């Protein structure tokens, strides 16, 4: 009986070796094509980035953070107004409506309920209800939307 097992094993090994060797052989593909047409010289034009970029606009509590050359966000907290009301700076530290601040390349315009930021042709807005405070030489932005409050320190 053992000799039948040996013969069967030998057949499987030989057959498996042939199949395996056939799979490893490179395929016999012949691909050829005749080039047609006239060759062209590749030219490179100036990148579009060198052109004047189009102005952009946007609004949200994040707009000051989107201008790192002007504003460097130090911290941010957000949550329900009731929980964060105690973390707001005192009303005496609030920057008055109508104030214009020059920060780097940016002009920040504080209005009664919103804040506008201009950088060249770009216009960004922190929508109502937004307030800006000056605390210990830093700017603190509070932006309320519904029952949520976000406080960012720059």
């Amino acid at each position: 009986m053992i000799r039948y097992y040996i013969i069967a094993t030998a057949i499987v090994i030989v057959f498996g070796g042939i199949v395996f060797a056939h799979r490893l052989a490179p395929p016999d593909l012949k691909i050829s094509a005749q080039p047609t047409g006239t060759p062209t010289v590749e030219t490179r034009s100036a990148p579009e980035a060198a052109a004047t970029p189009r102005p952009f606009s946007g609004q949200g509590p994040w707009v000051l953070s989107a201008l790192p050359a002007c504003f460097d966000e130090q911290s941010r907290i957000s949550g329900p107004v009731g929980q964060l009301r105690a973390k707001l700076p005192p009303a005496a530290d609030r920057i008055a409506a109508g104030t214009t601040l020059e920060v780097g390349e940016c002009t920040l315009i504080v209005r009664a309920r919103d804040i506008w930021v201009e950088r060249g042709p770009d216009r960004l807005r922190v929508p109502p209800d937004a307030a800006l405070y000056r605390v210990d030489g830093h700017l603190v932005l509070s932006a309320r939307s519904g029952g949520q409050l976000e406080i960012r320190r720059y």
Side-chain angles (χ1 to χ4, degrees), residues 91-107:
D93 291 341
R94 185 170 180 176
I95 298 174
T99 303
T100 300
L101 302 172
E102 298 290 332
V103 182
E105 300 174 359
C106 300
T107 302

Side-chain angles (χ1 to χ4, degrees), residues 75-129:
S75 65
R76 172 181 53 187
I77 56 173
S78 61
V81 174
Q83 289 180 354
L84 295 181
R85 190 179 310 269
K87 296 190 185 236
L88 282 173
D93 291 341
R94 185 170 180 176
I95 298 174
T99 303
T100 300
L101 302 172
E102 298 290 332
V103 182
E105 300 174 359
C106 300
T107 302
L108 191 129
I109 303 165
V110 180
R111 297 178 24 161
R113 295 186 59 222
D114 61 349
I115 298 166
W116 284 86
V117 182
E118 300 175 355
R119 183 184 66 182
D122 305 329
R123 305 284 181 266
L124 300 167
R125 176 180 179 236
V126 181
D129 278 327

Side-chain angles (χ1 to χ4, degrees), residues 58-75:
Q59 71 175 5
W62 49 265
V63 297
L64 299 182
S65 301
L67 301 166
C70 301
F71 305 98
D72 181 25
E73 184 178 296
Q74 302 295 312
S75 65

Side-chain angles (χ1 to χ4, degrees), residues 12 14 26 32 60 79 120 148:
V12 169
V14 169
S32 65
Q148 293 293 318

